[in-house]
Amino acid sequence: MSKVVLITGASSGIGAAIAQYLFQKGYIVYGTSRNPKYAVVNGVHMLALDVTKAETIEKAIAGLQEKEGRIDVLINNAGMGITGPLEETPDMETKRVFDTNYFGPLEVIKAVLPQMRSQHSGLIINITSIAGYMGLPYRGIYSATKGALGITTEAYRMELKEFNVKMTTVAPGDFATNIAAGRYHAPLLEDSPYKANYGNTLRLMDEHVDAGMDTAVMAKVVHKIIQSKNPKVHYRVGFFMQKFSIVLKRMLPDTWYERLLLSHYKL
């Protein structure tokens, strides 16, 4: 029997790539976006779901359960980026990104868990970020949201073990997507003491995304995780140096690692 997969944020980028790949592999795939234009896109059923609005989560999950009778895999992919000096980032935008990247995924998890417990099986894959393993300059809020989701996943895994519901994270590095266009940028203020460094860092970040990996790589990794009997706690997907940066953070004294980041961002 084909597994039923639900992917949030599946209208573009990594989410769309995963959805298409899993459909081609024979899965029954449901993707979500806040305002889907079509009911089905290349075989993927699209549901209206905004992770920051509980009523849309409940409606989408209830409709999926009624139609399919089960949910085998949830992929929490919906998210947004944010950049800016921490001092100058509006509180409203900080809260909005936490609602999207952290509290939203938790609400979707809560919505699918009763079904997964009742079928005594299920897999939840939370898409985090390599940026969530470290505090990055002018990306501190984004790093915090993804780091929080990774830590919460570690705790959730142990709580769900008795129900045979598995959970893991996949942390991508830079991928060639439109995330740069969709992220919130704190204004580059003329009189800001951060103007020069923030502007240079923004350009560097956009260059990294433009030169990022193909989203098909993420889709293949997610497929392998679904096929795994015992998924690991965390997976990282990216260029060698991006993944190695996590190893270095564990090995080096904090101030040494900080110097590496300052040098990388030319700060």
Side-chain angles (χ1 to χ4, degrees):
M1 183 171 61
S2 296
K3 288 186 176 181
V4 177
V5 181
L6 174 63
I7 308 171
T8 65
S11 61
S12 63
I14 288 173
I18 295 171
Q20 287 299 312
Y21 189 80
L22 294 181
F23 171 72
Q24 291 166 10
K25 291 295 182 179
Y27 293 83
I28 300 170
V29 183
Y30 286 79
T32 79
S33 70
R34 283 173 292 184
N35 297 293
K37 295 180 180 179
Y38 305 100
V40 180
V41 179
N42 297 325
V44 176
H45 305 277
M46 296 301 295
L47 303 174
L49 187 154
D50 183 338
V51 297
T52 67
K53 296 180 179 178
E55 63 275 14
T56 70
I57 296 172
E58 294 169 4
K59 183 177 179 180
I61 299 300
L64 173 54
Q65 289 174 319
E66 183 177 352
K67 187 171 182 180
E68 300 294 345
R70 62 186 297 110
I71 302 173
D72 297 295
V73 182
L74 164 65
I75 302 172
N76 262 321
N77 170 73
M80 65 176 292
I82 184 170
T83 65
L86 289 167
E87 181 184 355
E88 297 176 355
T89 302
D91 291 344
M92 180 179 68
E93 295 301 332
T94 296
K95 291 172 182 176
R96 186 163 72 99
V97 174
F98 264 96
D99 282 343
T100 303
N101 292 0
Y102 181 67
F103 293 110
L106 294 190
E107 289 302 316
V108 181
I109 290 170
K110 290 178 184 178
V112 303
L113 278 180
Q115 176 63 46
M116 289 184 172
R117 268 199 308 272
S118 70
Q119 61 197 38
H120 199 65
S121 67
L123 170 64
I124 298 170
I125 301 174
N126 295 321
I127 306 298
T128 57
S129 173
I130 287 178
Y133 285 87
M134 61 205 74
L136 296 177
Y138 304 107
R139 294 175 72 185
I141 300 302
Y142 182 75
S143 291
T145 63
K146 294 299 187 177
L149 186 57
I151 291 294
T152 303
T153 298
E154 293 177 4
Y156 238 139
R157 280 174 58 93
M158 292 181 280
E159 295 179 10
L160 295 176
K161 186 175 176 59
E162 64 176 304
F163 308 115
N164 195 38
V165 176
K166 298 174 172 60
M167 191 180 292
T168 185
T169 71
V170 182
D174 291 316
F175 277 78
T177 69
N178 63 350
I179 187 172
R183 68 163 71 110
Y184 171 80
H185 296 288
L188 193 60
L189 303 174
E190 284 297 324
D191 60 348
S192 170
Y194 305 102
K195 180 185 175 184
N197 281 340
Y198 176 35
N200 292 335
T201 303
L202 271 179
R203 286 189 288 274
L204 190 61
M205 283 189 284
D206 289 343
E207 289 172 7
H208 289 169
V209 170
D210 291 340
M213 299 180 76
D214 191 322
T215 53
V217 176
M218 272 290 288
K220 292 176 182 178
V221 169
V222 167
H223 181 229
K224 287 182 180 179
I225 294 170
I226 294 174
Q227 292 181 305
S228 172
K229 290 184 178 180
N230 294 295
K232 296 189 295 185
V233 182
H234 300 293
Y235 295 84
R236 296 101 184 174
V237 186
F239 294 115
F240 171 78
M241 282 308 299
Q242 291 175 338
K243 293 188 288 185
F244 189 56
S245 67
I246 300 171
V247 178
L248 286 176
K249 191 173 193 298
R250 292 173 180 161
M251 295 172 55
L252 297 176
D254 291 342
T255 53
W256 291 20
Y257 190 78
E258 184 179 62
R259 286 192 206 113
L260 287 178
L261 288 178
L262 288 168
S263 175
H264 176 74
Y265 286 101
K266 300 177 176 61
L267 299 175

